[in-house]
Amino acid sequence: MVELTLYGVDASPPVRAVKLTLAALNLPYKYVQVNVAAREQFSAAFLEKNPQHTVPTLEDGGNFIWDSHAIIAYLVTKYASSDELYPKDPLKRAVVDQRLHFESGVVFAAALRSITKLVRASIAVPQERFDAIVEAYDFVEKFLQDHEYIAGKSLTIADFSLISSISSLVVYVDIDQSKYAKLSTWMKKLQQLPYYEEANGKGAKIYIDSIRATKFTLAS
């Protein structure tokens, strides 16, 4: 019997990527909300689970895994009935892995996290932070040039990882459908997944609403 527990924060894009993967695999799990505002992630109990004190953290049978990319790859490898979401073919897997690294380094770290830190600290945002988001959109549009999904002809965990971050970035830079036709179509396609709203849509709205409430400004 599968006994999974996901520790997370609803607004977090990496947490939402894991939720999308769990939903796609139809895996039951317990969800534990971590109160990061109260620094619960630094408690002795949580540090025993994850010394890096990050979310998402997954518990599976007393074993703990953190980092969303590690978690979603693990879930598919262990529990999926096929390798469609994370192909075993070396070339196809390499493309998925590249997109995952792109999400973590370019989209999440350079574009999303960097601007979010400024906004949360009430610091006016320099133009270069918005430019980094536009650059991320440009790359994704190119990745989608010849196929429907981010890493090829079928849905993979790379799509889950990227949609969680990009659906958050829109609060800073809206997506121009005329300029980013492929990106816009891809987003709409993922939004039609039966589990999208529960796994990602609701959390993305929480994130977006919290950012809008800051009334962030552009540095002069």
Side-chain angles (χ1 to χ4, degrees):
M1 183 177 178
V2 179
E3 294 184 3
L4 299 171
T5 300
L6 175 63
Y7 298 86
V9 175
D10 291 336
S12 163
V15 171
R16 288 187 263 126
V18 176
K19 285 185 173 184
L20 284 165
T21 304
L22 286 162
L25 296 173
N26 198 28
L27 287 171
Y29 65 98
K30 178 183 177 183
Y31 181 62
V32 177
Q33 183 85 15
V34 179
N35 188 345
V36 296
R39 297 176 65 82
E40 187 180 349
Q41 72 274 29
F42 293 102
S43 67
F46 194 85
L47 289 172
E48 275 190 31
K49 300 176 179 66
N50 175 356
Q52 281 188 265
H53 50 78
T54 56
V55 293
T57 294
L58 180 77
E59 181 178 1
D60 184 1
N63 298 301
F64 296 93
I65 307 161
W66 55 93
D67 181 273
S68 64
H69 303 129
I71 293 171
I72 60 182
Y74 167 81
L75 288 170
V76 173
T77 301
K78 183 172 181 179
Y79 293 110
S81 57
S82 74
D83 71 338
E84 188 173 14
L85 286 172
Y86 193 39
K88 293 178 181 177
D89 175 84
L91 180 57
K92 290 180 179 179
R93 176 162 289 202
V95 175
V96 173
D97 286 342
Q98 184 277 323
R99 303 297 195 258
L100 291 172
H101 289 303
F102 166 77
E103 190 280 331
S104 63
V106 176
V107 180
F108 184 75
L112 183 60
R113 186 167 59 184
S114 61
I115 195 171
T116 301
K117 283 184 176 180
L118 295 174
V119 169
R120 298 285 192 211
S122 300
I123 298 172
V125 181
Q127 182 61 45
E128 65 188 50
R129 293 296 96 222
F130 295 103
D131 293 343
I133 297 172
V134 172
E135 182 181 49
Y137 290 169
D138 289 342
F139 280 128
V140 174
E141 183 73 11
K142 290 175 182 176
F143 293 160
L144 292 164
Q145 201 61 46
D146 299 318
H147 34 71
E148 295 181 80
Y149 295 98
I150 204 67
K153 296 180 180 179
S154 61
L155 183 72
T156 68
I157 56 175
D159 293 284
F160 296 154
S161 187
L162 276 160
I163 192 63
S164 67
S165 285
I166 292 176
S167 60
S168 304
L169 284 174
V170 295
V171 70
Y172 301 110
V173 179
D174 197 18
I175 294 174
D176 182 343
Q177 294 187 28
S178 62
K179 181 180 179 181
Y180 300 112
K182 296 284 187 179
L183 171 55
S184 299
T185 299
W186 169 76
M187 290 188 71
K188 290 175 183 176
K189 193 174 188 68
L190 290 185
Q191 288 164 358
Q192 290 169 1
L193 292 169
Y195 46 81
Y196 176 88
E197 184 59 26
E198 187 64 33
N200 188 69
K202 289 182 178 179
K205 185 178 185 304
I206 292 171
Y207 175 85
I208 288 169
D209 288 347
S210 71
I211 295 301
R212 284 178 176 159
T214 68
K215 296 180 170 57
F216 64 89
T217 59
L218 174 66
S220 56

